[in-house]
Amino acid sequence: MWVQQIFLAVVGLSAGVAAAGGLFSFIVELGVIADFADRTHTGDKVLFYEECTALGGILGNLVYIFEIHIPAQNAGLGVFGIFAGIFVGCWAMALAEILNVFPVFMRRAGIARYLSVFIVSLALGKGLAACLFFARGW
């Protein structure tokens, strides 16, 4: 019985590490951290920023998984809200820069006149998937 539990723990930990590694490499690849370092003229501290990002993700997961209570009251909630908003805003900014990939790809592939159909199909697919997700109660 304990062998099965150890096996499940190893598989779960491995899957979590793979997913987290993918997410953080995506953040680094989008250039969010490098853009901030460039805009604040602190490019020599990029590795420190990347380590802080990874540490924040690790600590956030530990707090979530082990349901660690952080007694911060309303002031802590406000600080968390500000940082969460900054995080979401950075993702939106980085993804908006990436969206330029679609028009360039469509133009080079010679299907530029179908760009609106492509974008609408992406939006409909995402909306349908969200409806299915919430309708089934996962």
Side-chain angles (χ1 to χ4, degrees):
M1 185 70 169
W2 59 273
V3 174
Q4 182 182 13
Q5 295 298 319
I6 291 174
F7 177 73
L8 289 175
V10 168
V11 169
L13 185 64
S14 300
V17 166
L23 175 67
F24 290 118
S25 65
F26 187 59
I27 289 173
V28 171
E29 182 64 30
L30 283 178
V32 174
I33 298 170
D35 282 349
F36 282 145
D38 183 44
R39 291 178 192 194
T40 58
H41 307 294
T42 56
D44 56 331
K45 296 179 177 55
V46 171
L47 291 177
F48 174 71
Y49 297 150
E50 290 174 356
E51 290 170 358
C52 287
T53 302
L55 183 63
I58 291 167
L59 292 176
N61 280 323
L62 290 175
V63 167
Y64 178 76
I65 290 172
F66 294 114
E67 298 179 4
I68 299 170
H69 178 70
I70 301 173
Q73 303 295 336
N74 290 336
L77 185 61
V79 171
F80 175 78
I82 288 171
F83 284 124
I86 290 171
F87 179 76
V88 170
C90 293
W91 269 99
M93 175 193 70
L95 289 174
E97 291 177 6
I98 292 297
L99 286 179
N100 291 333
V101 170
F102 289 123
V104 171
F105 169 72
M106 295 294 209
R107 201 173 317 114
R108 291 201 179 171
I111 51 176
R113 68 180 110 158
Y114 301 112
L115 180 60
S116 60
V117 174
F118 181 71
I119 291 174
V120 168
S121 65
L122 280 174
L124 288 175
K126 181 71 173 169
L128 179 63
C131 288
L132 289 173
F133 178 80
F134 289 113
R136 298 199 70 195
W138 289 329

